[in-house]
């Protein structure tokens, strides 16, 4: 019987013997020392959960090349969008920051995982908000989540991944992201908004997220493809000049 990711995590957590648990995905590669650094930070920052920075590796790119390209982020923007409750993975920021939710590659405590178990409602579709649900449960109950620049995970490009949520068709991803965010906001939005001091009502936040999700799944990939073609042409032109 297939339990789904959330319930499988709960079973594994219950069977574990350590107080500290690190989560990782099968399409992720951890930098050496990832767990050790997060464990140190967990205690120093008194965090409930903590992650390193996630780097999306481009096709043909090595992990060191990806790290050099990423640095401490790719663009100058805020690392979290409060209204739509989205962590901005490529945001530039130094050091360690406290944030309501981070990426899925977190280190946390078994005691908290038992108190706030993963919700198996996300078993369908691509499981959008599945990992975020646990982190938000921590946040609305007064705990702090952190992300640090001192270690990194490398997300494999689509060409190297055979299964998982990122292989879901684009329109299905859009549907499930809105479907699960509706459920997620229903569970947490009022308490989340209260802790952050947000005044926007839940319906408005869901509409804003839906617009963002549509942009992310349609317009942004097209713009990215154009940018990659322009970059490839520039590289080819530079190689010709160097050869000449």
């Amino acid at each position: 019987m297939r339990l789904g990711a959330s319930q499988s995590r709960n079973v594994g957590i219950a069977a574990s013997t350590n107080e500290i648990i690190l989560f990782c995905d099968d399409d992720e590669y951890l930098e050496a020392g990832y767990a050790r650094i997060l464990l140190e930070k967990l205690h120093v920052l008194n965090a409930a959960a903590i992650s390193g920075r996630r780097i999306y590796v481009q096709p043909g790119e090595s992990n060191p090349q990806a790290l050099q390209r990423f640095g401490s982020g790719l663009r100058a923007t805020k690392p979290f969008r409060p209204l739509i409750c989205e962590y901005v993975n490529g945001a530039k920021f130094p050091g360690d920051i406290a944030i309501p939710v981070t990426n899925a590659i977190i280190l946390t405590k078994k005691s908290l995982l038992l108190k706030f178990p993963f919700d198996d409602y996300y078993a369908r579709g691509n499981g959008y908000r599945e990992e975020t649900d646990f982190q938000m449960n921590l946040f609305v109950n007064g705990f702090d989540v952190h992300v640090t620049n001192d270690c990194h995970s490398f997300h494999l490009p689509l060409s190297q991944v055979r299964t998982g949520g990122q292989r879901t068709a684009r329109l299905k991803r859009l549907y499930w992201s809105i479907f699960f965010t509706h459920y997620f906001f229903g569970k947490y939005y009022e308490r989340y908004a209260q802790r952050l001091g947000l005044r926007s009502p839940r319906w408005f936040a869901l509409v804003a997220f839906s617009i963002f999700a549509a942009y992310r799944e349609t317009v942004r990939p097209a713009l990215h493809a154009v940018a990659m073609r322009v970059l490839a042409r520039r590289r080819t032109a530079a190689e010709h000049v160097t050869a000449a």
Side-chain angles (χ1 to χ4, degrees):
M1 179 180 177
R2 295 175 65 89
L3 299 177
S6 292
Q7 195 56 28
S8 295
R9 289 189 183 98
N10 292 333
V11 170
I13 291 160
S16 65
T17 57
N18 291 331
E19 168 56 12
I20 303 298
I21 295 177
L22 173 67
F23 289 95
C24 189
D25 292 334
D26 60 359
D27 54 2
E28 209 89 12
Y29 179 89
L30 300 185
E31 187 178 41
Y34 191 91
R36 174 181 54 79
I37 292 171
L38 291 191
L39 181 59
E40 293 171 356
K41 297 280 186 180
L42 191 76
H43 295 308
V44 170
L45 299 172
N46 192 30
I50 186 168
S51 80
R53 300 299 303 270
R54 170 182 267 174
I55 298 174
Y56 286 85
V57 181
Q58 300 294 332
E61 191 176 46
S62 68
N63 290 347
Q65 288 172 333
L67 178 57
Q68 183 177 22
R69 171 178 56 82
F70 186 86
S72 60
L74 299 172
R75 59 190 188 276
T77 187
K78 293 182 179 180
F80 187 73
R81 297 182 176 127
L83 179 61
I84 61 175
C85 192
E86 283 286 318
Y87 169 59
V88 182
N89 187 78
K92 285 185 178 182
F93 60 86
D96 314 323
I97 61 170
I99 201 166
V101 297
T102 181
N103 64 62
I105 316 304
I106 60 168
L107 190 81
T108 188
K109 301 174 182 179
K110 178 179 178 178
S111 56
L112 293 173
L113 290 160
L114 293 175
K115 187 174 183 179
F116 306 110
F118 286 94
D119 187 343
D120 63 2
Y121 186 83
Y122 301 94
R124 293 174 289 170
N126 64 351
Y128 193 79
R129 300 281 187 185
E130 187 175 57
E131 296 95 347
T132 309
D133 188 277
F134 166 69
Q135 297 178 38
M136 182 56 68
N137 212 347
L138 293 176
F139 183 76
V140 300
N141 282 285
F143 294 93
D144 292 324
V145 176
H146 285 72
V147 56
T148 178
N149 271 288
D150 289 354
C151 59
H152 308 82
S153 64
F154 298 91
H155 193 76
L156 299 177
L158 186 61
S159 59
Q160 298 181 38
V161 179
R162 296 182 180 180
T163 59
Q166 68 170 315
R167 295 208 67 90
T168 306
R170 186 171 298 164
L171 290 181
K172 287 185 177 180
R173 286 201 307 270
L174 176 59
Y175 168 80
W176 286 112
S177 65
I178 296 172
F179 178 89
F180 284 129
T181 296
H182 178 268
Y183 173 75
F184 176 81
F185 280 2
K187 287 180 67 176
Y188 298 120
Y189 188 79
E190 277 69 27
R191 288 180 291 163
Y192 159 75
Q194 184 178 21
R195 185 170 179 189
L196 287 185
L198 294 179
R199 296 183 179 181
S200 301
R202 180 173 21 137
W203 68 264
F204 184 80
L206 182 61
V207 170
F209 173 81
S210 301
I211 294 170
F212 164 76
Y215 164 79
R216 180 179 59 191
E217 297 296 343
T218 58
V219 178
R220 192 165 73 180
L223 294 176
H224 178 73
V226 171
M228 290 298 99
R229 284 197 294 268
V230 170
L231 183 60
R233 288 171 185 166
R234 288 178 179 175
R235 285 176 178 171
T236 302
E239 290 172 357
H240 288 163
V241 169
T242 302

